[in-house]
């Protein structure tokens, strides 16, 4: 049975940023949208994924940034169903100082971020106009309560909580020009999962959106190599 490519979103929590990548992929694809009526901490979102995804079918998890820790936990729990794991510009520990969790975060997200900030941290200085417009609309519609809860969830992460996955094929897509996730935090994944295939892409943080064709090329190559191993 062909595994379903399960796209798990970044901090925005929606599939609205995946259309260009989906157009490049083959086979069944399922995009996750995180519900906004529940708490956005990792334990609650993990429980929601456990209940709402069909774990009787094989899956390849493709997790962007914020979703990486969730995909790691799901891969550990469902080792027979998760036939591969792809992490895009993600992390296994808090990328910023955990002490920030003590601050009132919600007021920081009550105003829509300006275009220069979105370009600097997420999509680079020369993004496609359509990408910038979509990102601005998604950011505008994201409630400050949701955003602050997700950021606070990230701040709770510790590398020691990363599950061992020695038998799970893993692809790491890293963003060479990431101004959001420090290089040393991204490389923790390489250290934690030395058997992973790693590609450093010449992109900003949102690499799946900034370079969907290149990302899809690496994903297809990874899937082809995994399929070859299964059939031999």
């Amino acid at each position: 049975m062909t595994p379903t490519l399960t796209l798990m979103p970044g901090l925005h929590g929606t599939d609205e940023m995946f259309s260009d990548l989906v157009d490049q992929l083959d086979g069944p694809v399922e995009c996750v949208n995180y519900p906004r009526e529940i708490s956005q901490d990792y334990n609650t979102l993990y429980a929601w994924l456990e209940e709402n995804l069909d774990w009787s079918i094989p899956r390849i998890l493709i997790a962007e940034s914020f979703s990486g820790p969730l995909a790691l936990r799901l891969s550990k729990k469902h080792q027979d169903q998760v036939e591969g794991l792809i992490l895009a510009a993600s992390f296994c520990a808090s990328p910023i100082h955990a002490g920030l969790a003590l601050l009132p975060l919600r007021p920081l997200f009550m105003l829509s971020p300006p275009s220069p900030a979105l370009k600097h941290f997420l999509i680079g200085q020369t993004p496609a106009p359509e990408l910038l417009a979509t990102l601005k609309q998604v950011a505008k519609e994201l409630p400050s309560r949701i955003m602050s809860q997700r950021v606070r969830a990230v701040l709770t992460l510790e590398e020691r909580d990363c599950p061992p996955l020695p038998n799970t094929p893993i692809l790491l897509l890293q963003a060479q020009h990431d101004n959001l996730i420090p290089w040393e935090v991204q490389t923790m994944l390489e250290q934690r999962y030395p058997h992973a295939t790693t590609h450093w892409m010449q992109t900003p943080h949102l690499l799946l959106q900034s370079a969907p064709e290149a990302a899809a090329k690496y994903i297809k190559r990874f899937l082809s190599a995994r399929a070859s191993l299964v059939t031999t």
Side-chain angles (χ1 to χ4, degrees):
M1 184 176 182
T2 302
T4 295
L5 304 181
T6 306
L7 291 168
M8 302 171 62
L11 206 62
H12 48 85
T14 174
D15 65 356
E16 294 180 52
M17 303 290 291
F18 282 142
S19 59
D20 289 342
L21 178 66
V22 170
D23 288 342
Q24 301 291 325
L25 297 175
D26 303 320
V29 177
E30 179 178 12
C31 295
V32 172
N33 280 289
Y34 294 131
R36 296 180 178 182
E37 64 272 12
I38 64 174
S39 175
Q40 301 298 301
D41 63 275
Y42 278 126
N43 286 337
T44 302
L45 291 173
Y46 174 79
W48 182 85
L49 288 163
E50 279 277 87
E51 182 178 351
N52 288 275
L53 293 185
D54 180 0
W55 293 106
S56 67
I57 63 173
R59 294 181 177 276
I60 303 289
L61 301 183
I62 305 176
E64 179 181 39
S65 189
F66 172 79
S67 285
L70 290 165
L72 288 166
R73 289 178 61 181
L74 292 168
S75 297
K76 177 65 175 177
K77 174 69 178 297
H78 300 281
Q79 294 187 52
D80 292 336
Q81 289 77 28
V82 177
E83 297 186 357
L85 172 62
I86 300 169
L87 300 178
S90 195
F91 41 81
C92 59
S94 176
I96 51 180
H97 196 284
L100 290 176
L102 300 175
L103 299 177
L105 297 176
R106 186 173 179 179
L108 299 176
F109 303 109
M110 295 187 74
L111 298 176
S112 297
S115 294
L118 295 176
K119 290 180 180 180
H120 177 75
F121 289 108
L122 298 176
I123 55 176
Q125 295 305 314
T126 56
E130 299 82 2
L131 175 57
L132 178 59
T134 299
L135 182 57
K136 290 180 70 173
Q137 186 63 32
V138 169
K140 180 180 178 181
E141 295 175 353
L142 189 61
S144 59
R145 173 184 60 84
I146 298 297
M147 189 68 169
S148 61
Q149 286 183 9
R150 290 175 183 165
V151 170
R152 198 174 297 280
V154 170
L155 293 171
T156 67
L157 293 173
E158 296 186 26
E159 185 184 2
R160 66 185 181 185
D161 297 326
C162 242
L165 297 169
N167 300 317
T168 302
I170 298 175
L171 171 64
L172 302 178
L173 296 179
Q174 311 278 50
Q176 185 72 44
H177 305 297
D178 198 325
N179 290 327
L180 188 64
I181 310 300
W183 176 85
E184 59 270 19
V185 175
Q186 288 197 66
T187 56
M188 284 182 187
L189 287 170
E190 296 181 57
Q191 298 164 13
R192 190 75 181 186
Y193 303 106
H195 69 291
T197 299
T198 302
H199 293 290
W200 284 88
M201 299 177 60
Q202 300 298 314
T203 65
H205 180 67
L206 290 183
L207 62 86
L208 298 179
Q209 291 78 19
S210 299
E213 292 185 14
K217 179 186 70 174
Y218 287 126
I219 291 171
K220 290 178 181 178
R221 186 182 301 170
F222 170 75
L223 296 177
S224 178
R226 184 204 63 82
S228 298
L229 289 174
V230 171
T231 57
T232 56

